[in-house]
Amino acid sequence: MSDINTFHDDISTKLQQQEERLTMLDRKSQITAARPHLAAAADLEAPHQKAFEAYLRSGDDDALRGLELEGKAMSTAVAGDGGYLVDPQTAATIQSVLKSTASLRAVSNVVNVEATSYDVLVDHSDVGSGWATETGSTVETGTPSIERITIPLHELSALPKASQRLLDDSAFEIETWLAARIADKFARAEAASFISGDGIDKPTGILTHTTVDNDSWTWGNLGYIATGTSGDFDASNPADAIIDLVYALDAEYRAGASFVMNSKTAGSVRKMKDMDGRFLWSDGLAAGEPARLLGYPVLIAEDMPDIGTDATPIAFGDFGSGYTIAERPDTRILRDPFSAKPHVLFYATKRVGGDISDFAAIKLLKFSVS
């Protein structure tokens, strides 16, 4: 009971101290609220505003009667008479008319590196084997070999500049807009390189490598299926070439495979039907779900070529296994206000590389006779 009484006394003391503290804070708040404002906002108002407020509050229109209105021959109709003084309102942001294209990075293998290159080790050979008997000797079989594919990282850069006055006086955040435009340009530049880059100071695209007929395919080349007609699908059975393209890919790659083509090619393929009149193309049933062709997803990449003679506008394969993108994770933007005074330079860089890592995982459709 002695411990309980001591605890009760301690609680009572703490509650009393807390109540005294709250009372003191309330008194301070009341004193602060009663102090006069340091900035006399009412005195800065225009005379007609105070007169109109007095009229609204008490009906006293004496102040309104005492106002002297000064009239001058100025209007906004003529620029010299005051039209220059009416500044049009500027939009808070710039509406961009540039559309970001889809990139192979959506379906490829993307790795983040902190080095100047990325090496991919590929085993594209097989182990030899044979049937052994109970008492017979076992002969030596073939040993698999490992090949190294090096993907160098290339630097993508931009150096726009803006005056310091524009940055200070603009109606919106110029720096934010510039950073967004740089990132958008980098995304479109690398997307084009992943398709048709020549590998010289840029990534190597899938269409840059040598293409051979799929019946004579060897490692280091991309196999293609011909449509049988120069610059177009076959007139009688246009869908046969796409079906042949699907089954030209080995079964282990078809499970994760997808089509890649641009919008014009997709418009032609979308009209194809089977013998029962059903479209080969099907739209995604859920939001964000890609369209499908013969059950495989379709990536619309505008950097793919259009349908033409000897062109390869359709690619099909498991790009997660077949194409590797190596990059540093971020786009770096350096703001330099010193080198080009009175302008401010924005030096942006991004390091990225890409190349085919498995030549058996990607097949092309070629619009040619053979």
Side-chain angles (χ1 to χ4, degrees):
M1 291 300 295
S2 176
D3 292 340
I4 293 177
N5 291 333
T6 303
F7 176 73
H8 180 269
D9 293 340
D10 291 341
I11 292 297
S12 300
T13 302
K14 290 181 180 180
L15 288 177
Q16 183 177 1
Q17 292 175 352
Q18 190 72 16
E19 185 176 358
E20 291 176 354
R21 179 176 176 81
L22 290 175
T23 303
M24 181 176 60
L25 290 175
D26 291 341
R27 290 177 179 176
K28 286 186 176 182
S29 300
Q30 293 174 1
I31 293 174
T32 303
R35 290 176 180 173
H37 294 285
L38 296 179
D43 296 338
L44 299 178
E45 295 178 354
H48 67 276
Q49 292 178 345
K50 292 191 291 184
F52 188 66
E53 184 180 359
Y55 173 73
L56 290 179
R57 290 180 178 274
S58 61
D60 184 8
D61 59 354
D62 292 339
L64 286 176
R65 294 176 184 273
L67 287 178
E68 295 182 3
L69 299 179
E70 202 173 350
K72 293 183 179 179
M74 296 187 69
S75 67
T76 61
V78 181
D81 292 339
Y84 292 122
L85 304 178
V86 182
D87 184 30
Q89 183 176 354
T90 305
T93 58
I94 291 183
Q95 182 177 359
S96 177
V97 297
L98 298 175
K99 302 300 181 183
S100 296
T101 180
S103 175
L104 271 187
R105 66 169 53 246
V107 292
S108 300
N109 178 31
V110 182
V111 294
N112 294 329
V113 299
E114 295 295 337
T116 57
S117 64
Y118 180 74
D119 291 345
V120 180
L121 301 179
V122 181
D123 173 22
H124 59 85
S125 59
D126 202 357
V127 179
S129 63
W131 296 100
T133 62
E134 181 180 0
T135 58
S137 60
T138 302
V139 297
E140 183 180 349
T141 60
T143 303
S145 60
I146 297 176
E147 184 172 345
R148 180 192 300 268
I149 297 178
T150 300
I151 302 176
L153 268 66
H154 306 281
E155 187 167 299
L156 187 62
S157 64
L159 189 61
K161 70 177 181 179
S163 66
Q164 185 61 53
R165 180 173 297 182
L166 178 63
L167 297 177
D168 293 338
D169 301 338
S170 58
F172 57 93
E173 289 289 341
I174 288 287
E175 297 180 65
T176 304
W177 168 70
L178 268 178
R181 288 297 299 273
I182 290 171
D184 177 70
K185 178 59 180 177
F186 281 2
R188 288 182 285 119
E190 68 177 22
S193 296
F194 296 153
I195 299 296
S196 57
D198 56 8
I200 302 175
D201 296 330
K202 63 175 68 68
T204 303
I206 60 174
L207 301 183
T208 306
H209 292 272
T210 304
T211 59
V212 297
D213 188 274
N214 195 62
D215 293 335
S216 58
W217 174 81
T218 56
W219 182 264
N221 305 309
L222 286 184
Y224 69 81
I225 299 295
T227 59
T229 302
S230 178
D232 202 354
F233 289 101
D234 183 71
S236 57
N237 298 305
D240 289 355
I242 297 180
I243 296 176
D244 293 339
L245 176 65
V246 170
Y247 289 99
L249 196 67
D250 292 339
E252 63 266 25
Y253 296 115
R254 284 201 301 268
S258 58
F259 286 94
V260 178
M261 66 187 76
N262 65 15
S263 296
K264 291 184 179 180
T265 306
S268 300
V269 175
R270 191 185 181 103
K271 304 172 186 176
M272 294 182 180
K273 300 179 181 179
D274 59 12
M275 300 301 294
D276 297 327
R278 296 172 298 186
F279 285 100
L280 303 180
W281 185 288
S282 61
D283 291 322
L285 299 179
E289 184 73 16
R292 292 183 175 271
L293 177 61
L294 296 176
Y296 297 96
V298 180
L299 175 68
I300 302 298
E302 302 298 346
D303 298 295
M304 290 291 290
D306 296 334
I307 295 176
T309 304
D310 294 334
T312 53
I314 299 178
F316 178 74
D318 183 1
F319 292 91
S321 300
Y323 196 83
T324 300
I325 299 172
E327 66 174 358
R328 286 187 179 270
D330 298 322
T331 299
R332 303 173 186 266
I333 298 180
L334 175 64
R335 187 181 188 272
D336 181 10
F338 308 108
S339 300
K341 296 186 294 292
H343 293 85
V344 178
L345 298 175
F346 296 90
Y347 180 58
T349 58
K350 180 179 178 63
R351 300 186 65 184
V352 62
D355 201 352
I356 292 180
S357 53
D358 189 348
F359 290 90
I362 301 175
K363 303 296 179 181
L364 302 174
L365 184 63
K366 187 176 183 180
F367 285 71
S368 62
V369 177
S370 60

